[in-house]
Amino acid sequence: MLEQQQIETLVRQYIADYSDYELITCRVSQNNEVCVEVDSYKGVDLDFCASLNRFLQEELDKTGENYELEVGSVSITDPFKTKMQYNKHVGHDVEVLTRDGKKVHGQLVNVEDDYFEVDTEIMVAQEGKKKKQKMMQTLRLGYDEVKYCRYDLKV
């Protein structure tokens, strides 16, 4: 059976020459179904995925194991998994689901080691007025406080 660590090492070895690429996900099933997802600040093109796929095939063929290999980029609707993905989306609209079940929509404005910040509109009651007024609020969210944060497609 192929080892996930072995595949991750091969991918990191390959992308070391491409400073803007990062391994996001590597999964190996019990049936040797290998799935590798990469991302970069510039996006991931098909030629890069094909080249990485060929490299991995050459290396994995040496093991003598039967396997199924899938190499691709992360989906635009996938939650962010690495700090690079958060940084890549600064200035874009995001959807956040907190651990307590609250959904937040807003613009990702800052990314730090322990937290990220989202500017979002809130409705605030104004003294002496019946209607609530929209106000911008910057929410600071620790990575451990959220179930996911992803690009907001606004569909």
Side-chain angles (χ1 to χ4, degrees):
M1 183 173 159
L2 296 172
E3 297 293 325
Q4 180 175 326
Q5 186 64 40
Q6 170 193 18
I7 313 273
E8 288 176 3
T9 300
L10 289 170
V11 172
R12 286 193 176 95
Q13 174 187 336
Y14 184 82
I15 65 176
D17 294 334
Y18 302 89
S19 61
D20 58 331
Y21 280 87
E22 185 173 299
L23 172 63
I24 304 300
T25 305
C26 179
R27 292 185 304 272
V28 180
S29 75
Q30 289 184 323
N31 298 330
N32 277 347
E33 296 166 338
V34 179
C35 179
V36 173
E37 292 178 324
V38 293
D39 201 358
S40 104
Y41 284 106
K42 299 175 189 174
V44 179
D45 65 29
L46 188 58
D47 291 337
F48 180 84
C49 290
S51 179
L52 175 57
N53 189 74
R54 282 190 298 275
F55 170 78
L56 289 173
Q57 279 182 327
E58 289 172 9
E59 295 298 317
L60 296 178
D61 284 350
K62 295 174 185 175
T63 67
E65 296 270 353
N66 289 325
Y67 63 90
E68 185 177 313
L69 178 60
E70 178 184 332
V71 175
S73 62
V74 294
S75 167
I76 195 167
T77 59
D78 284 350
F80 306 155
K81 296 176 184 150
T82 68
K83 188 175 173 188
M84 182 275 290
Q85 290 181 296
Y86 281 86
N87 281 318
K88 177 181 176 179
H89 289 88
V90 167
H92 295 116
D93 290 335
V94 294
E95 174 185 287
V96 179
L97 180 63
T98 63
R99 294 232 177 259
D100 61 1
K102 182 180 175 188
K103 238 183 213 182
V104 176
H105 293 268
Q107 184 179 65
L108 182 60
V109 293
N110 186 34
V111 177
E112 299 293 336
D113 288 337
D114 298 328
Y115 64 89
F116 62 96
E117 294 176 326
V118 175
D119 281 349
T120 187
E121 284 185 352
I122 58 169
M123 299 301 286
V124 178
Q126 298 279 327
E127 188 174 323
K129 295 185 178 182
K130 292 182 181 180
K131 282 189 166 184
K132 291 184 177 182
Q133 300 291 327
K134 288 182 183 178
M135 290 185 62
M136 290 301 291
Q137 177 184 35
T138 300
L139 294 177
R140 177 179 285 188
L141 298 160
Y143 299 106
D144 60 343
E145 296 176 55
V146 299
K147 288 186 178 180
Y148 68 77
C149 177
R150 63 182 176 202
Y151 183 75
D152 191 353
L153 293 175
K154 293 189 177 189
V155 180

